[in-house]
Amino acid sequence: MTQEVIVRFPPSPTGYLHIGGARTAIFNWLFARKTGGKFILRIEDTDAQRSSAESIQGIIASLKWLGITWDQEPYFQSDFIHEHIAAARKLIDSGHAYKCFCPKEEIEKKRRVAVEKKITFKYDGTCRNLTPEEIAAREADGTAYSIRLKLPAAEGSIVFNDIVYGTIEKKYENLEDFIIVRTNGQPLYLLSNAVDDIRDKVTHIIRGQDGLGNTPKQILIYRALEAPIPEFAHMSLTLDPQKAKISKRTHGELVAVHFYKEHGFLPWALVNFLVRLGWSTSDSRDFFSKKELIEAFSLEGISRANSIFDIRKNDPKYFTDPKAISINAHYLRTLPLEEIEPYVREQLEQAGIWNPEFETAKRVWYLDTIDLIRSRYHLTTDFVTRGRAYFSEDYPIEPKALKKHVRKHEKLKEWLPILAERLNTVKAFTAEETEKTIRALAEELGIKVGILTNGTRAVVTGQLAGPGLFDILTVLGHDRVVRRLHKAVDLFK
């Protein structure tokens, strides 16, 4: 019988969900869904000073927004500290760990000497072979101690196979007896993580390449606790254009999941973009439905090469990676209307221009309008900026449109009210009839039809470009078009 795949995502609640963390969660989630396994969300909140309830809520909210689902209630690592301490005691009792009474000041002094001599500092094992009597005497004196894992005394190395990076070897001589419990009794991440993974029967550890250095140490802990060793897959890193690792400290909210939610991204578009950072199929596809991505996903598709997240800080055209915006635009154009409508509604509500009738009497009009204007939009925020005129009478005129297509032709302040009256008499307010009316007036005035159509577009939508004008007029409707054309004279004041 094949063992059930169990993976986990263990975020530290010390801030918002970073897109690097989101990418790790997505890869774990995809692998669990692909294999029919289990995905566990474990909140690693043992750093009490930096963890916060707000961060926990934000991380969970961001994961839910992305559509990442877990298979049991999230739990907190801090609830299991007693297990981590018990594991450390077990390692001492079995001879795999020992109490280290060396003062921090003494170790720092030895570290400085090593730096001066230009040699790599390693703990020298001062407390490794203390006798039971010596240990008892130090404890009786109240000397604080940490707990260190005892490396094998023989020559050799840790060898393991990483699904992405292949065979990895770390010689014992390049490691030291490392601390697993601090002098204050707090277990370190290395121990807590391993103990939790053993308890949860985690079969695959999928995480960032920056965790690769800790893997040999964790394998030593697994071995010392006589536990099965999971398989490892370390994901390549995501770097900025300067080849620096993306981070909260350096890049701020540009690398926060909630930033993309607030700036008009569809959840699946962001998932799709993040997956394609450092993962690909043999045919290098860019777009996947949820079902297609789960079917296509494999750990072998993860690239060893680091990917570039083309952050465009202070770029007037792109506020983030153009590829991400392009993927979002694709889904904005192609997803079923019912799928993108809730995100449009959210924007309209935030802008204060949501009409409850869009759920009832005007539902068909509302969906038809979204369908008409979405083809040129990149973000859901575009519906309340570039598309505001469809949902509200309070909309701005784009300066370039005003200058080029309205004020450039002074006579439009006379012609547009005339057009309003002509359109007011049209019985069937269709694309065909409005086009016929506008062309007839242009011919009567002896002007190019573009002067009227471009001026009309600018006045009724506030935009320089968009869908076909006659489709726009029919969607806006007779009354709004006539009213807006009459008000155009105010634009010349």
Side-chain angles (χ1 to χ4, degrees):
M1 182 174 168
T2 305
Q3 182 183 17
E4 179 187 28
V5 165
I6 300 176
V7 295
R8 84 300 193 263
F9 175 57
S12 298
T14 56
Y16 49 73
L17 181 63
H18 174 281
I19 62 169
R23 180 169 165 260
T24 301
I26 291 165
F27 277 44
N28 277 278
W29 171 76
L30 284 171
F31 187 63
R33 297 295 169 259
K34 172 68 177 283
T35 58
K38 183 188 292 184
F39 175 74
I40 295 171
L41 177 60
R42 180 170 75 219
I43 308 296
E44 298 201 336
D45 62 336
T46 49
D47 187 343
Q49 290 185 332
R50 299 179 63 213
S51 299
S52 71
E54 183 182 3
S55 293
I56 293 169
Q57 292 168 2
I59 288 169
I60 290 175
S62 290
L63 288 171
K64 286 182 176 179
W65 179 76
L66 288 168
I68 305 303
T69 53
W70 37 92
D71 298 301
Q72 62 186 50
E73 284 300 307
Y75 75 85
F76 300 90
Q77 189 175 64
S78 58
D79 292 338
F80 295 89
I81 286 184
H82 63 284
E83 290 187 7
H84 310 154
I85 297 295
R89 297 294 177 190
K90 179 181 177 181
L91 290 171
I92 290 176
D93 293 342
S94 65
H96 289 96
Y98 59 91
K99 297 174 181 178
C100 175
F101 297 91
C102 294
K104 183 178 179 181
E105 297 76 17
E106 181 181 315
I107 292 175
E108 284 303 315
K109 182 179 178 180
K110 292 178 179 179
R111 190 187 305 277
R112 288 194 297 271
V113 170
V115 170
E116 290 171 5
K117 292 182 177 180
K118 297 183 179 180
I119 58 176
T120 301
F121 172 77
K122 289 199 309 179
Y123 176 66
D124 57 10
T126 299
C127 296
R128 181 181 173 111
N129 298 310
L130 293 177
T131 65
E133 293 75 21
E134 289 173 321
I135 294 171
R138 284 168 170 75
E139 288 185 302
D141 289 341
T143 304
Y145 63 86
S146 60
I147 299 176
R148 291 182 181 269
L149 194 79
K150 185 184 290 184
L151 265 62
E155 291 186 1
S157 57
I158 300 289
V159 180
F160 67 96
N161 179 67
D162 186 88
I163 295 171
V164 177
Y165 289 93
T167 301
I168 305 292
E169 180 177 5
K170 186 76 170 180
K171 292 183 178 180
Y172 295 143
E173 65 184 45
N174 294 323
L175 294 169
E176 65 175 354
D177 291 352
F178 55 90
I179 295 174
I180 55 175
V181 178
R182 296 185 179 92
T183 54
N184 63 2
Q186 184 77 19
L188 264 72
Y189 161 85
L190 285 170
L191 177 65
S192 297
N193 222 359
V195 172
D196 287 340
D197 287 340
I198 292 167
R199 182 194 59 250
D200 294 337
K201 297 182 172 59
V202 171
T203 60
H204 294 74
I205 294 178
I206 306 167
R207 62 186 179 191
Q209 187 257 1
D210 47 353
L212 194 56
N214 283 328
T215 304
K217 296 179 181 180
Q218 289 183 308
I219 288 175
L220 286 169
I221 294 174
Y222 281 107
R223 287 181 181 174
L225 291 171
E226 298 180 334
I229 298 172
E231 293 191 59
F232 293 90
H234 286 86
M235 301 156 46
S236 54
L237 299 179
T238 302
L239 309 178
D240 69 12
Q242 286 71 47
K243 304 297 176 68
K245 182 183 173 184
I246 57 170
S247 68
K248 298 175 185 178
R249 183 175 300 173
T250 304
H251 303 100
E253 292 202 336
L254 268 174
V255 296
V257 169
H258 70 80
F259 175 87
Y260 292 86
K261 177 179 184 290
E262 293 163 4
H263 282 74
F265 268 71
L266 297 169
W268 187 250
L270 186 58
V271 169
N272 202 143
F273 170 70
L274 293 177
V275 168
R276 288 291 284 113
L277 285 175
W279 177 85
S280 63
T281 56
S282 58
D283 58 355
S284 298
R285 287 178 61 190
D286 274 331
F287 305 111
F288 301 84
S289 68
K290 179 178 175 180
K291 181 181 178 182
E292 289 169 342
L293 187 54
I294 290 171
E295 288 178 353
F297 187 76
S298 72
L299 298 178
E300 289 72 21
I302 300 174
S303 171
R304 294 186 182 185
N306 294 327
S307 55
I308 300 298
F309 180 37
D310 190 8
I311 295 174
R312 300 290 187 94
K313 199 169 185 178
N314 300 320
D315 186 317
K317 187 174 182 181
Y318 298 105
F319 67 89
T320 188
D321 192 318
K323 178 77 170 180
I325 295 174
S326 175
I327 288 175
N328 199 68
H330 168 82
Y331 284 112
L332 207 55
R333 292 192 301 269
T334 60
L335 282 177
L337 284 170
E338 294 288 350
E339 287 189 34
I340 70 167
E341 180 277 325
Y343 303 104
V344 176
R345 171 179 177 157
E346 185 178 12
Q347 295 295 339
L348 296 178
E349 287 175 337
Q350 289 178 1
I353 55 176
W354 169 256
N355 184 341
E357 289 189 359
F358 294 164
E359 283 188 300
T360 54
K362 292 186 176 181
R363 181 72 178 179
V364 173
W365 174 88
Y366 170 56
L367 293 177
D368 285 348
T369 301
I370 292 174
D371 198 27
L372 173 67
I373 63 181
R374 66 174 172 163
S375 63
R376 291 172 178 263
Y377 292 172
H378 293 86
L379 306 160
T380 59
T381 50
D382 288 336
F383 287 90
V384 296
T385 53
R386 297 166 62 189
R388 188 179 180 92
Y390 295 90
F391 307 104
S392 171
E393 290 304 301
D394 177 21
Y395 61 93
I397 307 291
E398 192 177 300
K400 190 173 181 180
L402 184 62
K403 179 181 178 181
K404 184 177 181 181
H405 292 318
V406 180
R407 289 178 176 163
K408 180 180 178 181
H409 305 284
E410 183 74 18
K411 296 287 283 184
L412 279 173
K413 66 181 177 183
E414 299 173 11
W415 298 338
L416 291 178
I418 293 173
L419 177 59
E421 286 305 312
R422 297 288 175 90
L423 290 173
N424 196 32
T425 63
V426 173
K427 293 182 179 179
F429 205 74
T430 62
E432 293 77 11
E433 289 301 313
T434 55
E435 179 178 6
K436 187 187 300 182
T437 301
I438 291 174
R439 289 188 180 279
L441 179 59
E443 185 175 351
E444 180 183 323
L445 295 171
I447 59 174
K448 292 180 179 179
V449 72
I451 294 175
L452 278 184
T453 55
N454 290 332
T456 298
R457 178 191 298 277
V459 167
V460 301
T461 70
Q463 296 294 301
L464 191 66
L469 174 65
F470 309 113
D471 292 324
I472 290 173
L473 297 180
T474 54
V475 162
L476 287 174
H478 172 276
D479 292 348
R480 287 201 290 175
V481 170
V482 170
R483 184 167 60 249
R484 292 177 184 185
L485 288 173
H486 271 304
K487 290 175 64 177
V489 293
D490 295 337
L491 300 174
F492 293 88
K493 292 179 181 178

